[in-house]
Amino acid sequence: MPTIAVDKAALFEELGADYTTEEFEDLCFEFGLELDEDTSQSKKPEDLAEPSQLKIEIPANRYDMLCFEGIALNLRVFLEKQKLPQWTLTAPASGELQTLTIKEETARIRPLCSGVILRNIKFTQERYDSFISLQDKLHQNLARQRTLVSIGTHDLDTVNGPFTYEALPPEEIEFMPLNQTNKMNGKQLMEFYEKDKHLGRYLHIIRDSPVYPVIYDSNRTVLSLPPIINGDHSKITVNTKNVFVEITALDKTKVEIVNHMLVAMFARYAESIEPIRIISPHNNESREAPDLSPRETQAEIEYLNQVTGLNLPPTEISRLLSRMGYTVAPSKSDSKLLDVSVPITRADVLHQADIMEDLAIAYGFNKLPRQNPNKSATVAAPLPINKLGDITRLEAATAGWSEVMPLILCSHEENFEWLNRIDPGGLAIKLANPKTAEYQIVRTSLLPGLLKTISSNRHHSVPMKIFEVSDVGFIDTSRERKTRNERHFAAAIMGKTSGFEQVHGLLDRLMLMLKSAFITREEGLTNKKLEGYWIEELDDPTFLPGHAAAIKLNIAGKQHTIGTFGILHPSVLQKFELQYPVSTLELNLAVFL
Amino acid sequence: MTSSAAVPSGDFAVQILRALDVSSPLLSAEAFPDRKYVEIKAALDRLASREMIKYDTIDREEAVLEPEGEVIAENGSHEARVFEALRAAVEGLSVQELEKVIGDKNITKVGQGKAFKEKWIAKTSDGKLKAMKDSIEDITKEQLQTIRDTRMLSDSKALADLKKRKLIRFEKIISFKIHKGSKFALEIPEEAVDLTAEMLTSGAWQSIAWKPYNFRALGAEQNSGALHPLNKVRAEFRNIFFDMGFTEMPTDKYVESGFWNFDTLFVPQQHPARDLQDTFYIAEPKLADKPRPESPDDKKDYEKYWEEVKAVHQDGAHGSIGYRAPFSDEESLRLVLRTHTTAISSNMLYKLAATKGPDGRPPPARYFSIDRVFRNESVDATHLAEFHQVEGVIADYGLTLGGLMEFMSTFFGKMGITDLKFKPAYNPYTEPSLEIFAYHQGLGKIVEIGNSGMFRPEMLEPMGLPKDMRVYGWGLSLERPTMIKYGISNIRELLGHKVDLNFIKTNPAVRLDKN
C-alpha cells in the first residue's frame, strides 16, 4: 500500500480542525486509511527539525488519494465540509483545440495516448512538488512501474501544436533529455541511462523494440520519449502557466483514469481545464479528451440495506453516499433503484457492491447492527490426509521424537547432490524467479529439511531425534496444474551410534498404530495376499552400503514400495556438516488413506 | 544436582563434627581458614539436612590489597621512596637521576608531587631535588601493612581514601557460625538413597536410615518427544473451526495456475501482487492446462467458467463494469506457487455452485484450511518466503456485514481476543473488506490481527452461485499470533530449519483461550 506524507498544519487547515494525533488516527480508521506516523510524535531530531508531517497509508485502489490535494478533498467531503466538485471542460476562447495526432506505427510499441491542458495554473513550490510526486506515485502503482501508463507534463508556452505521437527507430530520435546538457539519440540515451538508479529500471520497457514512442510538436521539438523521459525543452517549472499533459498507455481504461486523477487533483489551482483533440482514425480512438462526466449507474435499495443490515430511506442513503463522493437520486423509472453518479475520482467503483461498502463506511463499520451469523447448521470434518498425518505425528511424539518444521523450498543440491541423488529431470518443480539460491525447487523429499535442522542444532545434546509430517511436490503432467503434492512422514536421529534400530523401531511402531502387521520374509514370499509390511535390503547411494532398506507394503490387495530407511552415507553427513552418524526414515502416507 | 552429591569428601564433614564437639559454636573462618566456601557450604548442608548441626551465615566485608597496594606495603609509598632516595644522596639528584634510582618513571612522578606537597623535598637553585627532613613517617605503608595482616583497618576514613586511590578493594566474605544440632553425633550414619526391591524382600527398609531427599532439585529428565509449537497453535485453530461446524479444505496443491490463484478471485491481471517481485513463478513446468474436470464424474462446465471469468475481467458482467483491460490466456495459465490458500477456497466455492441441496440450491457451507503459502519476499525478521495461512469461508443466503463482525467476535473470542474493531480496507476479491484490529496489551495499542470481507459478486456469480448467496472470507497468518503469544521477534526462530530444538521441546501446551 502506498504511503503518502502530507504537511500536518496544511491538512488540518483544509479540514478546518486541529486534531490530536489520536483524533486524526480515529478519523483515518473510520474512513479506511491508516495513519502510519505523525512526525511531531517522533523522537528523531531530523523529524522535529522539519514541519510536522502525517504519513498516511492509502488503499491500493484509491488513486484519488495519492497526493495532499486528494486526501484533503476526500476527507473534506467525508466530513461534509464540501461537496465533491463537478469538473467541467472549457474550450479556449478561439474555439480551436490543440490537437494530437497518433501515428499508426505506435501500435507496435505503446498504442494509446491521451492528454489535457491546465490553463493559467498557479503553482507554489508545495503545489509543484505535489504535482510531480503524484505522477511518480501513479507511475509506481496503477501504471506498474510505467509499463502500463506513463505521464509527461510540459510547459505549453514553450512548444507549438499541433502535436504528434509517433513511433520511430531509436537512431532517428534526437533530443536533449530533461536536465541534461547534451543532445542524444534514442540508442545513445539507453546507454546514457543504463546505470541510472532512477531511470535505469524503466529502460527495459522499450529498449529492444525496433521503434521507440515519441511525442513531437509542430517544429519537431521532442516533448517526451515515453515511458522513459521528457525533453528538457518543454520542462515545467514552478512558474509555468499553462501545463500540457500527455499520457501514453497500453490500455484505454488506465490512460483515462490517470487523466482523470491529474485533472481532479490539480484543476483547483488552474483557471480552466481545456480538452485536446485526439486524431487517431486507425484504431477508432479519435475523440476529445478527457471526458469528465461522471459514470451513471444504478444500485438496488434493497441490496444496499440488506447486506449492511440497515433499513435506511433513499434520502438517508443518498446523504451518506454523498460523503463518499457520489451523487445519488431515486430512480425515475423504478422506485426500487437509485440513480448513482460515480465521479471521475472513483475509478475503484466497479459494481454496486462497491457502493454498498461505501454506504457502510459512511454509516460507520463499527456502528452497523450486529446479527447472528449462524443462519444454517453445517457439519465439521477434517481432511482425511490431515487426520492421518496427525495420527502419525502424535505417535512419533509419544515415542520420544520431536517435531520440526523446515521450509518446503530448498536448493537443488540439498535435494539431490548432497543426498547422492541424481536429478532425473521432470521430477522436481523448479522456480523461475527466486531471490536467493536457497529457494530453487519444491523439495521432493523431507530429508534435506531434517538434516539442515540437525545441522543448525549442533549445540544440542545427542541423541537428537526429530520428525516431520508434511507435503513434498512432484511434476505430474497428467494433472491440470502439472504437479502434485504427496504427504510424507520422515524422521532422523543423530547420535554417537547410528540409530539404525531406532528408525527401524519407529517404523514398526507407526505400522502397528496404522494396523499394518509385520510380515516375515518367508510368509510374505509364500502368501502374496497377506496384508502388511516387510523390508528388503536396498542399494541406495544416500545410505551406507548394506545399511538401507526399502519399505514394502501389501494393502487392499496391492503391493507398494512406500519408503526407505537406513544409515546415511558418510559423504552425505559431510555435505550437511553433521559430525555424528545419522539414520533416517521416510515414507509416503497417502497409501494408508 | 543434589547438594550431597557435591560433597568432595566425607572426611571433611566428620572433621567439622569433631571440631564442633570440642568447641560449639564454631566459626568456620577460624576453624577452617583454608577451606573454600563451596566446600564448607556443601558439608554443612549435608550435616544440617540430617539435623546434626545448625548454622548461621555471616556476611562480612574485608579489605584486600590491589597489586599496587601490595607494592607499597612492601616497598613504601611512592613519596616515601622518593624521599628516601633523595635523603641517601647528599648532593641531591636531578629528576633523571632520581628516576634511575627509583627505577620507575611513574612512581617517581607521582611520588615527587606528593613529597613536594608534604614539604619533604625541595628544589635547589641548580635545579636538583633534595630532602628537607631527616626522617618521615610513611603512614600509607603502615596502613596497607595492617590491612594485609588483619584484612581490616579501624580508621574508616583512611580505608575509604585507600579505596579511592585504588590501592585496596573490598571483598564480600561469607563464613558460618556452626552449632550442634538435635541429632549431633561424631559419625555420619550409613544411609540408603532409594527404596529397592531387595529391601522389601529382606525387610531391611524397616531399620534403614534414609538419605534425605533434596526437595529443591528438579526430577529426572523425561527424554520426551514434542510437537512443534506452531503445529500446537494450528491444532487449537483447527479445534475452533471444528467447534463451529467447518470442513477442512484439500490444500494439497502448492502449485496453482494464475487462473485459480488470481483470476477466479477477480484479481486483475495487472495487479502488483502478480509481479515477479511478489509471486514465485514456476520455470518447470511452466503452464497449466485450462481448467478441466478432475474425474470422470465431474460434469461441471469448466469451459463456460473460464469464459465467464475472462468476461467479467475484460468486459464486465453480472452488474460489474470489469477492469476493461485485455485478459491474457497465457497469463492465466502460468503456474505459480500459491500465494494464498484462497485459491483453494475459490475451487471449493466453484464446486459448491454445482452442488444441489434439498431445496435445489447450493447448500450453505463452511470451509477452512491452515496450510503453507509462498511469497517471493526478501527474508527478514518478520518475513519468510513461506508461512501458514489460516483461512475460513462461510457461504449462506442473506448474510450481512453485521453477521460477519459478530462471527469474528465469536471466532477471536475463543482465543481470548475481545473488543474487535473493524477498519475499511481494500482487497481485490472482497467488497466490503474489513481489517480486524484488537487491543494488544503488550504493545499498548490496537494491532491488526486479520483480514475479512465478503467475496465480490464478480468472483461468485461467474461460478454460478445464486446472487443472494453471499460468502464471508477471512484470513490470518498462523505465525503472527504465535509470535505475539510467545514474544518471538524473529520468524526464523519459529519456522524453518534454524529453530532451536530446545525451544520446541520446552514450549508449553497451547491454550489460546488462556494466557
Side-chain angles (χ1 to χ4, degrees):
Chain A
M1 282 203 294
T3 301
I4 308 296
V6 297
D7 186 273
K8 183 174 170 177
L11 183 68
F12 286 0
E13 197 188 318
E14 290 264 341
L15 300 184
D18 206 4
Y19 293 95
T20 64
T21 303
E22 289 71 30
E23 285 166 351
F24 187 69
E25 210 163 19
D26 289 346
L27 173 65
C28 285
F29 194 93
E30 198 186 345
F31 190 58
L33 306 173
E34 202 166 328
L35 180 62
D36 239 17
E37 195 189 348
D38 175 350
T39 61
S40 69
Q41 310 289 306
S42 168
K43 297 208 163 55
K44 293 186 203 146
E46 63 267 30
D47 282 339
L48 298 174
E50 299 276 320
S52 298
Q53 288 196 324
L54 299 169
K55 294 184 180 169
I56 304 172
E57 260 191 41
I58 308 294
N61 64 342
R62 290 301 298 264
Y63 315 116
D64 57 331
M65 288 202 277
L66 292 174
C67 61
F68 171 82
E69 288 75 10
I71 293 172
L73 175 65
N74 279 296
L75 286 178
R76 280 177 59 84
V77 171
F78 183 62
L79 294 168
E80 299 184 278
K81 298 210 175 286
Q82 75 167 93
K83 292 256 182 246
L84 196 74
Q86 303 276 349
W87 291 278
T88 51
L89 296 166
T90 312
S94 69
E96 279 296 301
L97 296 187
Q98 288 285 359
T99 65
L100 172 76
T101 303
I102 301 179
K103 297 283 173 71
E104 196 168 349
E105 299 78 56
T106 57
R108 295 170 67 187
I109 174 72
R110 208 170 174 85
L112 301 168
C113 188
S114 183
V116 66
I117 291 165
L118 296 173
R119 282 282 175 194
N120 289 321
I121 197 161
K122 287 189 184 64
F123 279 129
T124 61
Q125 191 60 46
E126 290 77 27
R127 293 170 183 183
Y128 177 84
D129 292 345
S130 179
F131 189 55
I132 300 296
S133 160
L134 172 62
Q135 294 172 49
D136 197 42
K137 292 282 193 269
L138 287 167
H139 279 151
Q140 284 168 31
N141 294 286
L142 176 67
R144 262 183 109 182
Q145 310 296 337
R146 302 193 186 181
T147 54
L148 305 177
V149 187
S150 63
I151 310 158
T153 51
H154 309 277
D155 187 335
L156 182 63
D157 300 326
T158 65
V159 285
N160 290 299
F163 303 97
T164 54
Y165 175 43
E166 309 178 19
L168 297 171
E171 294 81 1
E172 289 176 28
I173 304 166
E174 196 181 60
F175 69 109
M176 199 193 293
L178 187 66
N179 300 332
Q180 295 303 325
T181 47
N182 293 319
K183 277 194 164 188
M184 51 188 91
N185 69 32
K187 203 161 165 262
Q188 292 162 332
L189 183 137
M190 286 292 152
E191 285 157 22
F192 183 79
Y193 287 111
E194 180 75 61
K195 295 263 155 57
D196 189 283
K197 249 170 98 181
H198 174 57
L199 293 176
R201 59 199 160 121
Y202 305 122
L203 301 182
H204 73 96
I205 305 171
I206 58 167
R207 183 165 41 209
D208 299 327
S209 165
V211 289
Y212 287 3
V214 58
I215 294 172
Y216 287 107
D217 78 347
S218 58
N219 302 324
R220 300 302 284 172
T221 304
V222 170
L223 275 70
S224 72
L225 185 82
I228 313 298
I229 194 158
N230 292 346
D232 193 63
H233 181 89
S234 58
K235 75 175 166 199
I236 65 163
T237 68
V238 74
N239 299 316
T240 296
K241 289 271 162 296
N242 299 300
V243 176
F244 172 53
V245 181
E246 43 84 5
I247 306 155
T248 56
L250 298 184
D251 83 69
K252 288 198 268 189
T253 306
K254 290 186 191 69
V255 78
E256 290 308 332
I257 291 176
V258 169
N259 207 342
H260 287 159
M261 293 307 152
L262 291 171
V263 167
M265 298 299 112
F266 285 89
R268 61 184 281 197
Y269 304 133
E271 215 170 80
S272 61
I273 309 161
E274 185 179 307
I276 61 167
R277 184 180 311 287
I278 292 166
I279 301 167
S280 185
H282 64 279
N283 56 359
N284 285 323
E285 285 296 317
S286 298
R287 65 196 190 280
E288 277 181 25
D291 176 358
L292 300 183
S293 51
R295 183 170 72 84
E296 302 301 338
T297 186
Q298 291 185 316
E300 299 157 339
I301 296 169
E302 195 195 337
Y303 171 80
L304 298 180
N305 272 328
Q306 201 276 322
V307 184
T308 53
L310 296 169
N311 190 16
L312 301 175
T315 47
E316 182 59 8
I317 294 176
S318 167
R319 185 188 73 81
L320 288 169
L321 284 177
S322 72
R323 293 179 59 196
M324 306 304 288
Y326 300 90
T327 309
V328 180
S331 167
K332 290 184 187 75
S333 57
D334 188 339
S335 63
K336 290 179 181 152
L337 297 178
L338 295 172
D339 287 334
V340 182
S341 295
V342 183
I344 55 168
T345 48
R346 295 300 308 276
D348 59 302
V349 177
L350 308 176
H351 188 276
Q352 64 172 350
D354 298 286
I355 299 168
M356 176 267 290
E357 180 186 58
D358 279 338
L359 176 67
I361 294 172
Y363 189 88
F365 270 13
N366 295 292
K367 292 185 204 135
L368 289 174
R370 293 293 184 94
Q371 270 146 0
N372 187 349
N374 299 317
K375 297 230 168 241
S376 316
T378 50
V379 178
L383 186 67
I385 189 75
N386 286 353
K387 188 172 175 182
L388 175 68
D390 285 350
I391 289 169
T392 61
R393 289 175 53 237
L394 286 174
E395 291 302 337
T398 314
W401 299 67
S402 293
E403 184 178 35
V404 297
M405 293 178 89
L407 301 181
I408 286 154
L409 304 177
C410 66
S411 77
H412 187 276
E413 59 179 11
E414 287 162 358
N415 194 73
F416 291 108
E417 290 88 336
W418 287 13
L419 292 172
N420 293 335
R421 287 178 181 170
I422 291 160
D423 180 359
L427 179 77
I429 300 158
K430 299 193 167 78
L431 306 189
N433 57 326
K435 289 198 173 105
T436 76
E438 265 185 279
Y439 310 132
Q440 292 172 326
I441 61 165
V442 175
R443 61 187 180 187
T444 62
S445 159
L446 297 181
L447 295 188
L450 291 182
L451 299 182
K452 285 196 285 181
T453 305
I454 294 181
S455 185
S456 39
N457 272 284
R458 279 175 293 184
H459 59 277
H460 194 275
S461 60
V462 289
M464 241 186 272
K465 295 161 77 178
I466 59 170
F467 75 95
E468 183 188 11
V469 179
S470 185
D471 282 3
V472 299
F474 296 111
I475 293 178
D476 183 346
T477 50
S478 71
R479 304 204 178 199
E480 179 192 323
R481 296 161 183 86
K482 303 296 170 196
T483 54
R484 70 185 163 86
N485 282 19
E486 192 173 279
R487 182 67 47 92
H488 279 200
F489 175 98
I493 177 169
M494 177 165 93
K496 294 204 168 132
T497 54
S498 78
F500 187 66
E501 296 92 347
Q502 292 291 323
V503 290
H504 189 175
L506 179 61
L507 170 70
D508 294 336
R509 176 77 193 158
L510 287 180
M511 291 298 135
L512 183 64
M513 292 299 107
L514 293 172
K515 286 185 167 177
S516 184
F518 185 65
I519 303 173
T520 61
R521 189 172 289 261
E522 294 73 23
E523 278 176 291
L525 283 172
T526 52
N527 182 359
K528 288 210 187 316
K529 284 191 178 157
L530 198 60
E531 300 243 314
Y533 75 104
W534 71 99
I535 59 175
E536 287 176 6
E537 188 180 336
L538 176 73
D539 186 18
D540 182 334
T542 304
F543 302 105
L544 193 64
H547 294 83
I551 307 160
K552 306 275 186 175
L553 181 74
N554 264 350
I555 194 167
K558 269 193 181 166
Q559 183 181 323
H560 307 266
T561 302
I562 58 166
T564 54
F565 70 94
I567 303 175
L568 287 184
H569 196 280
S571 61
V572 175
L573 298 180
Q574 200 182 4
K575 291 284 174 22
F576 286 96
E577 297 179 36
L578 305 172
Q579 69 277 48
Y580 292 117
V582 175
S583 290
T584 63
L585 159 71
E586 179 163 22
L587 55 104
N588 175 7
L589 291 179
V591 290
F592 294 100
L593 268 183
Chain B
M1 199 193 295
T2 58
S3 59
S4 53
V7 173
S9 100
D11 290 344
F12 181 45
V14 175
Q15 278 178 38
I16 294 175
L17 294 175
R18 300 233 167 102
L20 198 57
D21 194 33
V22 177
S23 83
S24 177
L26 190 67
L27 291 170
S28 69
E30 286 170 8
F32 312 107
D34 300 330
R35 292 279 183 171
K36 289 205 177 78
Y37 163 78
V38 282
E39 209 181 340
I40 302 173
K41 174 89 164 64
L44 293 180
D45 282 341
R46 185 169 170 229
L47 295 170
S49 70
R50 290 165 177 80
E51 293 171 45
M52 297 177 79
I53 61 153
K54 289 184 286 186
Y55 68 88
D56 304 312
T57 307
I58 306 163
D59 285 351
R60 187 158 59 85
E61 281 210 320
E62 289 189 348
V64 182
L65 299 190
E66 293 282 8
E68 196 184 345
E70 297 272 9
V71 173
I72 292 173
E74 194 61 37
N75 301 325
S77 66
H78 303 341
E79 55 273 26
R81 287 172 72 181
V82 166
F83 171 80
E84 288 301 334
L86 292 177
R87 195 176 60 89
V90 184
E91 292 298 310
L93 296 169
S94 70
V95 176
Q96 289 80 6
E97 287 165 338
L98 180 63
E99 271 179 24
K100 227 174 183 176
V101 174
I102 304 265
D104 186 317
K105 202 171 173 177
N106 202 35
I107 291 176
T108 314
K109 199 176 154 205
V110 176
Q112 235 186 93
K114 281 253 173 74
F116 271 119
K117 215 170 143 195
E118 297 283 341
K119 299 206 167 77
W120 293 349
I121 64 169
K123 217 169 211 172
T124 62
S125 52
D126 57 358
K128 288 193 172 180
L129 300 170
K130 65 167 189 174
M132 297 296 286
K133 288 192 173 179
D134 291 338
S135 70
I136 50 131
E137 200 182 348
D138 190 354
I139 298 167
T140 308
K141 179 182 175 184
E142 284 163 15
Q143 286 172 339
L144 290 173
Q145 280 174 344
T146 312
I147 289 168
R148 185 178 62 189
D149 300 339
T150 67
R151 307 202 139 211
M152 212 13 79
L153 196 69
S154 51
D155 182 348
S156 60
K157 191 165 166 282
L159 210 54
D161 190 45
L162 291 171
K163 169 89 171 44
K164 212 169 147 193
R165 286 168 68 186
K166 295 195 174 122
L167 297 176
I168 61 164
R169 64 174 186 278
F170 292 108
E171 273 182 2
K172 200 171 170 189
I173 300 295
I174 302 167
S175 64
F176 306 95
K177 190 174 189 181
I178 310 160
H179 311 264
K180 286 182 180 170
S182 59
K183 295 183 183 166
F184 180 80
L186 285 175
E187 293 295 335
I188 303 170
E190 218 176 285
E191 294 170 338
V193 177
D194 206 352
L195 180 64
T196 64
E198 286 84 0
M199 292 175 195
L200 292 179
T201 323
S202 67
W205 66 271
Q206 295 170 73
S207 56
I208 210 119
W210 295 103
K211 184 184 162 195
Y213 188 77
N214 181 1
F215 289 97
R216 282 174 294 178
L218 289 174
E221 184 90 43
Q222 290 301 291
N223 295 322
S224 127
L227 296 174
H228 194 284
L230 203 52
N231 266 340
K232 293 195 283 193
V233 177
R234 168 180 166 269
E236 280 281 282
F237 272 105
R238 282 180 96 220
N239 286 337
I240 292 171
F241 279 115
F242 290 142
D243 286 352
M244 301 177 88
F246 285 76
T247 295
E248 197 168 23
M249 295 188 276
T251 45
D252 55 347
K253 292 180 187 75
Y254 291 150
V255 176
E256 286 285 355
S257 59
F259 181 74
W260 290 110
N261 195 74
F262 297 120
D263 295 331
T264 61
L265 295 168
F266 199 54
V267 177
Q269 290 202 327
Q270 290 147 331
H271 195 275
R274 300 175 83 148
D275 269 339
L276 294 170
Q277 290 304 313
D278 295 288
T279 298
F280 284 114
Y281 285 85
I282 309 292
E284 185 194 346
K286 269 198 170 59
L287 296 180
D289 289 342
K290 276 195 174 183
R292 57 178 165 84
E294 290 170 2
S295 68
D297 358 311
D298 186 349
K299 302 290 182 217
K300 293 189 285 297
D301 188 349
Y302 285 84
E303 184 59 33
K304 176 166 175 267
Y305 182 39
W306 166 276
E307 291 302 331
E308 285 263 1
V309 169
K310 186 170 175 169
V312 77
H313 276 253
Q314 191 168 267
D315 311 309
H318 307 288
S320 170
I321 56 172
Y323 293 119
R324 293 150 292 140
F327 183 94
S328 149
D329 288 4
E330 183 170 334
E331 185 66 34
S332 192
L333 296 179
R334 281 173 83 185
L335 287 171
V336 299
L337 282 181
R338 67 172 175 223
T339 59
H340 47 200
T341 48
T342 319
I344 311 286
S345 301
S346 188
N347 194 267
M348 291 296 285
L349 289 168
Y350 176 59
K351 286 182 179 146
L352 180 69
T355 314
K356 286 202 170 38
D359 59 359
R361 304 185 299 174
R366 291 184 169 200
Y367 301 129
F368 85 97
S369 65
I370 305 170
D371 209 344
R372 208 79 65 102
V373 296
F374 305 85
R375 304 276 168 91
N376 199 3
E377 305 250 23
S378 297
V379 173
D380 62 29
T382 51
H383 296 92
L384 269 181
E386 302 176 20
F387 62 94
H388 291 82
Q389 186 183 340
V390 179
E391 163 137 353
V393 170
I394 297 178
D396 208 338
Y397 294 89
L399 293 178
T400 66
L401 269 179
L404 173 63
M405 292 191 274
E406 189 63 18
F407 178 84
M408 289 303 148
S409 299
T410 315
F411 180 78
F412 284 101
K414 281 177 167 280
M415 286 165 236
I417 299 171
T418 54
D419 300 319
L420 302 187
K421 283 231 178 312
F422 298 90
K423 177 170 117 34
Y426 167 65
N427 180 348
Y429 45 89
T430 53
E431 190 80 13
S433 307
L434 300 80
E435 277 175 2
I436 308 163
F437 284 73
Y439 185 78
H440 185 269
Q441 209 92 45
L443 302 173
K445 60 170 186 180
I446 58 168
V447 294
E448 191 193 329
I449 54 170
N451 266 299
S452 65
M454 294 171 81
F455 285 126
R456 290 193 73 99
E458 290 98 325
M459 169 181 161
L460 302 177
E461 291 183 37
M463 295 175 172
L465 285 170
K467 196 182 161 208
D468 56 343
M469 176 169 250
R470 307 221 170 87
V471 184
Y472 299 150
W474 71 100
L476 61 155
S477 89
L478 184 61
E479 283 77 2
R480 195 173 143 77
T482 308
M483 286 169 76
I484 292 175
K485 191 125 198 122
Y486 296 119
I488 299 167
S489 55
N490 188 339
I491 189 170
R492 285 166 287 192
E493 290 167 17
L494 186 63
L495 180 66
H497 62 269
K498 290 185 179 146
V499 177
D500 190 339
L501 274 183
N502 289 324
F503 167 69
I504 295 174
K505 286 186 162 178
T506 57
N507 183 274
V510 174
R511 301 159 76 191
L512 289 181
D513 52 334
K514 292 286 226 180
N515 288 323

